[in-house]
Amino acid sequence: MKTVAIAGATGAVGAQMLECLKERKIPVNIKLLASARSKGKIIDGLVVEELKEDSFDGVDYVLGACENDVTKKWMPWAQKAGCVVVDNSSAFRLEDDVPLVVPEINAQDIQNNQGIIANPNCSTIIALVACDALKKEFGIKRMVVTTMQAVSGAGVKGIHDLETQIIDPNAPREAFPYQIAFNLIPQIGDFDDLGISKEEWKMQNEGRKIWHDPDLLVNCTCVRVPVLRSHSESITLECEKEVDVEKAREVLKSALGVQLKDDPQNKVYPMPLDTTNQDDVFVGRIRKDITDPEGKTLSLFCCGDQIRKGAATNAVQILEKLLEQN
Amino acid sequence: MKTVAIAGATGAVGAQMLECLKERKIPVNIKLLASARSKGKIIDGLVVEELKEDSFDGVDYVLGACENDVTKKWMPWAQKAGCVVVDNSSAFRLEDDVPLVVPEINAQDIQNNQGIIANPNCSTIIALVACDALKKEFGIKRMVVTTMQAVSGAGVKGIHDLETQIIDPNAPREAFPYQIAFNLIPQIGDFDDLGISKEEWKMQNEGRKIWHDPDLLVNCTCVRVPVLRSHSESITLECEKEVDVEKAREVLKSALGVQLKDDPQNKVYPMPLDTTNQDDVFVGRIRKDITDPEGKTLSLFCCGDQIRKGAATNAVQILEKLLEQN
């Protein structure tokens, strides 16, 4: 039986990776690794070990759920031990020899890995799963996206901020620079000189790689919202061909990882509370953009659990593909 | 001294109209009108009277803060009494002989009134105040907008829903079809056969009238968010001319009703908590859209208190213009 280590097992994503491995009954030995601070903690009957240079001896696969700096530190140790790493950080996503994979879209890229496969950013995964069938059908050239991202995208500290501020707006802040309860913060990540945040760049940069489409254009505005879990995205798609709402619904109905929730007259549309703790991305509010005289533009709204499909589930699905290959 | 009646004085907008009249020290007699249920209530030292057929006798101006159906009922009474009505409902906004006015933009239209002047929709006012100087500078052809609207847009019941659900998610719902605490609802108003909601149509329909631009195009997605007060909007503007971020900031700095909050590197950007109880619209996150090769597209984020500038303040500003004219 293969051995899988979760690096960063005590964080929100790491804990979800463990849950996904168990839920999907993946037949592997599991090793939990985290910082010295968490050493000895017991999660689901497993003792957390300190992540050290020799932690990866005897490990076949690593699911990485650490911040970039920590990931860069242990990656050489995992490489030296011959592990194949599925990494959720953004540290290696855009490197040429690292496949960036959403299994529903480009599972075939996994086989080109040199020991690291990167998990895309949460908002990117959710948007691309929602739009992949539409890209195949209509050919997406440009996306205008506003993301509304849950506090748990900032980890357990983000959840803490919202939960404490609901009671006391002046409670000490751990994750966000401003109060997030009853507020919106139009910043996720640092800004560059163009006024675009790191998070806002990811969908274009990562989307081009996943879809093998170097010409993809994405204008993205990322906003933090007082939702505990599940990101939502308002997306307008400029396509090569004329779009058709019925056709869009039809291809989404059979799209992998998608649940069509699109009957607005009967109040059926995606909401982040409904996708919480779900692996599928919900897509709805599909409509032809009446402001495009050529009829090539489609608008939609989608939601997805960014800790599951936006992180842990996607990584575990990649692991499943790796296990199938061997 | 002229007499001003507030019709619907006990609602969120009516109460704010009274506050605005007092704050701005407008020298008028004030009469508060509401349904029989509120008769005898005392607000700020004034006794609420029941709105009846003869309520408008001796009244010069009416500030209307009622739902459409109620407004349609009393409007003939006010007309018969010779009042000039500034109405916040959407009942008369698109009628040819009713000016639709944002004083910072088209105050001159007030003089064409036939006894009714309409207040635009809250999201429309906020977006147009944010964008008017940019329209003059660059010529806006098309807007792609995602609004994130506070619960108080649905009145006191909306506030009630959020405040009770924060404590108990299963508390009885009064305003929204689903839980709004820790959630987002991508519906504001009913949907038509195209899948576009009433609220989503307003920005294009009303924007064309206010800006006297029948060719304006607006693709709008309206989302209810768990914020108590102040709407936020993520806006992408396709312009006739090439845009320039520094020029955009310059014209916004001197734009009426606008406060420029645009220094993202130092975490300065608009947030709904900061515009709460403010009359100005805050604008920031201004950046050139890197996905438009012609450089004619600009993105921004803005927030405004939809009960103040989005409703009461705007109506009272129109009243001030009317009083100046006489």
Side-chain angles (χ1 to χ4, degrees):
Chain A
M1 198 150 66
K2 301 286 187 184
T3 296
V4 173
I6 300 175
T10 54
V13 172
Q16 184 64 57
M17 284 169 167
L18 175 61
E19 213 174 305
C20 287
L21 285 176
K22 300 237 167 180
E23 268 177 17
R24 300 168 87 94
K25 298 189 170 61
I26 300 180
V28 290
N29 298 313
I30 300 171
K31 190 171 178 174
L32 303 184
L33 301 171
S35 66
R37 199 163 36 93
S38 297
K39 187 182 164 180
K41 265 192 189 169
I42 295 177
I43 303 179
D44 214 359
L46 294 165
V47 183
V48 176
E49 298 173 40
E50 182 182 350
L51 203 169
K52 291 187 299 192
E53 195 153 355
D54 61 0
S55 295
F56 299 103
D57 295 351
V59 169
D60 301 288
Y61 300 101
V62 181
L63 296 174
C66 302
E67 294 298 317
N68 285 8
D69 50 346
V70 179
T71 306
K72 280 180 184 161
K73 199 179 160 197
W74 60 251
M75 190 60 80
W77 306 340
Q79 301 282 80
K80 204 178 155 199
C83 305
V84 177
V85 181
V86 182
D87 180 40
N88 192 56
S89 83
S90 65
F92 302 95
R93 282 181 195 153
L94 299 181
E95 296 202 357
D96 281 339
D97 56 354
V98 176
L100 184 67
V101 175
V102 181
E104 291 88 345
I105 300 174
N106 64 331
Q108 75 286 356
D109 288 350
I110 294 173
Q111 63 200 39
N112 303 325
N113 84 79
Q114 312 288 314
I116 309 177
I117 297 147
N119 220 25
N121 185 46
C122 47
S123 308
T124 307
I125 294 177
I126 292 164
L128 267 61
V129 167
C131 297
D132 187 53
L134 301 172
K135 189 164 189 352
K136 288 195 178 80
E137 187 64 35
F138 305 120
I140 297 168
K141 290 194 301 183
R142 177 170 174 256
M143 305 168 69
V144 179
V145 182
T146 296
T147 70
M148 288 153 267
Q149 303 188 211
V151 294
S152 51
V156 288
K157 287 181 180 175
I159 298 172
H160 169 271
D161 272 16
L162 177 54
E163 289 187 336
T164 56
Q165 291 168 12
I166 287 293
I167 312 299
D168 173 14
N170 298 314
R173 292 183 197 114
E174 291 189 359
F176 309 115
Y178 301 104
Q179 179 185 325
I180 185 63
F182 309 110
N183 197 21
L184 309 175
I185 304 175
Q187 168 170 24
I188 300 179
D190 294 333
F191 293 99
D192 66 10
D193 291 342
L194 296 171
I196 300 173
S197 73
K198 276 190 181 159
E199 186 82 0
E200 289 163 352
W201 273 112
K202 288 176 185 172
M203 205 176 293
Q204 177 169 296
N205 292 339
E206 299 183 10
R208 288 177 173 187
K209 185 165 176 176
I210 297 162
W211 270 335
H212 297 275
D213 177 2
D215 299 323
L216 178 73
L217 296 168
V218 185
N219 171 334
C220 192
T221 303
C222 292
V223 182
R224 186 71 70 187
V225 299
V227 165
L228 285 165
R229 192 161 159 158
S230 270
H231 291 351
S232 304
E233 307 187 24
S234 168
I235 303 180
T236 292
L237 299 169
E238 293 179 14
C239 301
E240 283 157 22
K241 299 182 193 161
E242 193 175 340
V243 297
D244 176 86
V245 170
E246 278 315 311
K247 187 72 195 169
R249 290 195 183 119
E250 185 191 316
V251 298
L252 283 168
K253 240 178 230 170
S254 52
L256 287 175
V258 168
Q259 284 188 41
L260 184 68
K261 300 284 178 186
D262 194 27
D263 181 9
Q265 308 261 14
N266 290 308
K267 300 189 192 303
V268 176
Y269 30 69
M271 290 187 291
L273 215 51
D274 288 345
T275 49
T276 292
N277 222 16
Q278 301 285 322
D279 283 328
D280 287 339
V281 174
F282 288 12
V283 185
R285 293 296 327 273
I286 301 166
R287 59 215 193 270
K288 205 162 173 171
D289 179 353
I290 43 111
T291 71
D292 174 7
E294 293 187 50
K296 295 181 175 176
T297 307
L298 197 74
S299 288
L300 59 85
F301 191 81
C302 65
C303 301
D305 186 319
Q306 90 288 354
I307 301 182
R308 280 188 172 258
K309 183 55 195 170
T313 302
N314 197 73
V316 171
Q317 287 172 322
I318 294 170
L319 175 69
E320 285 176 319
K321 297 280 178 192
L322 287 166
L323 289 166
E324 278 168 28
Q325 283 172 15
N326 292 317
Chain B
M1 197 150 66
K2 301 286 188 186
T3 296
V4 174
I6 300 176
T10 54
V13 171
Q16 183 64 55
M17 284 168 166
L18 176 60
E19 212 176 307
C20 287
L21 287 174
K22 300 237 165 178
E23 269 176 17
R24 301 168 87 95
K25 297 189 172 58
I26 300 180
V28 290
N29 297 315
I30 300 172
K31 190 170 180 175
L32 303 185
L33 301 171
S35 66
R37 197 161 37 93
S38 297
K39 186 181 165 182
K41 265 193 189 168
I42 296 175
I43 303 181
D44 214 0
L46 295 164
V47 182
V48 176
E49 297 173 39
E50 183 182 349
L51 203 169
K52 291 186 298 191
E53 194 151 357
D54 62 0
S55 295
F56 300 103
D57 295 350
V59 170
D60 301 288
Y61 300 100
V62 181
L63 297 174
C66 301
E67 294 299 317
N68 285 7
D69 51 345
V70 179
T71 306
K72 281 180 184 162
K73 196 177 162 198
W74 60 250
M75 188 61 79
W77 307 341
Q79 302 282 78
K80 203 176 156 199
C83 305
V84 177
V85 181
V86 183
D87 180 40
N88 192 56
S89 85
S90 64
F92 303 94
R93 282 180 194 154
L94 299 181
E95 296 203 357
D96 281 341
D97 57 352
V98 175
L100 183 67
V101 175
V102 180
E104 291 88 344
I105 300 173
N106 63 332
Q108 75 285 356
D109 289 349
I110 294 173
Q111 64 201 37
N112 303 326
N113 84 79
Q114 310 290 314
I116 310 178
I117 298 147
N119 222 23
N121 185 45
C122 47
S123 307
T124 306
I125 295 177
I126 292 164
L128 266 61
V129 168
C131 297
D132 187 53
L134 301 172
K135 188 165 192 347
K136 289 196 178 79
E137 187 63 36
F138 305 120
I140 296 168
K141 291 193 300 182
R142 177 171 175 257
M143 304 168 70
V144 179
V145 182
T146 296
T147 70
M148 287 153 268
Q149 301 188 211
V151 294
S152 51
V156 287
K157 287 181 181 176
I159 297 173
H160 169 270
D161 272 16
L162 177 54
E163 288 187 337
T164 55
Q165 291 168 10
I166 286 293
I167 312 299
D168 172 14
N170 298 315
R173 293 182 196 118
E174 292 189 358
F176 308 115
Y178 301 104
Q179 178 184 327
I180 185 62
F182 309 111
N183 196 20
L184 309 174
I185 303 175
Q187 168 170 23
I188 300 179
D190 294 332
F191 293 99
D192 67 8
D193 292 341
L194 296 172
I196 300 173
S197 73
K198 275 190 181 159
E199 186 82 1
E200 289 164 351
W201 273 113
K202 287 176 184 171
M203 204 176 294
Q204 176 169 294
N205 291 339
E206 299 183 10
R208 287 177 173 187
K209 183 164 176 176
I210 297 163
W211 270 335
H212 298 274
D213 177 359
D215 299 323
L216 178 73
L217 296 169
V218 185
N219 170 333
C220 193
T221 304
C222 292
V223 182
R224 187 71 69 188
V225 298
V227 165
L228 285 165
R229 193 161 158 156
S230 270
H231 292 349
S232 304
E233 306 186 26
S234 169
I235 303 180
T236 292
L237 299 169
E238 293 179 13
C239 301
E240 282 157 24
K241 299 181 192 163
E242 192 175 340
V243 298
D244 177 87
V245 171
E246 276 316 309
K247 188 71 192 172
R249 289 194 182 118
E250 187 191 316
V251 298
L252 283 168
K253 241 179 230 168
S254 53
L256 288 174
V258 168
Q259 284 188 42
L260 185 68
K261 301 284 178 186
D262 195 27
D263 182 6
Q265 309 261 11
N266 289 309
K267 301 188 192 303
V268 176
Y269 32 69
M271 290 186 290
L273 215 52
D274 288 346
T275 50
T276 292
N277 222 15
Q278 301 285 320
D279 284 327
D280 288 338
V281 173
F282 289 11
V283 185
R285 293 295 327 272
I286 300 165
R287 58 214 193 272
K288 205 162 174 171
D289 179 353
I290 43 109
T291 71
D292 174 8
E294 292 187 50
K296 295 180 174 176
T297 308
L298 197 73
S299 289
L300 59 83
F301 191 81
C302 66
C303 300
D305 186 318
Q306 91 286 356
I307 301 181
R308 279 186 173 262
K309 183 57 194 170
T313 303
N314 196 73
V316 170
Q317 287 172 322
I318 294 171
L319 175 70
E320 285 176 318
K321 298 280 177 191
L322 287 165
L323 289 165
E324 278 169 28
Q325 282 172 15
N326 290 320

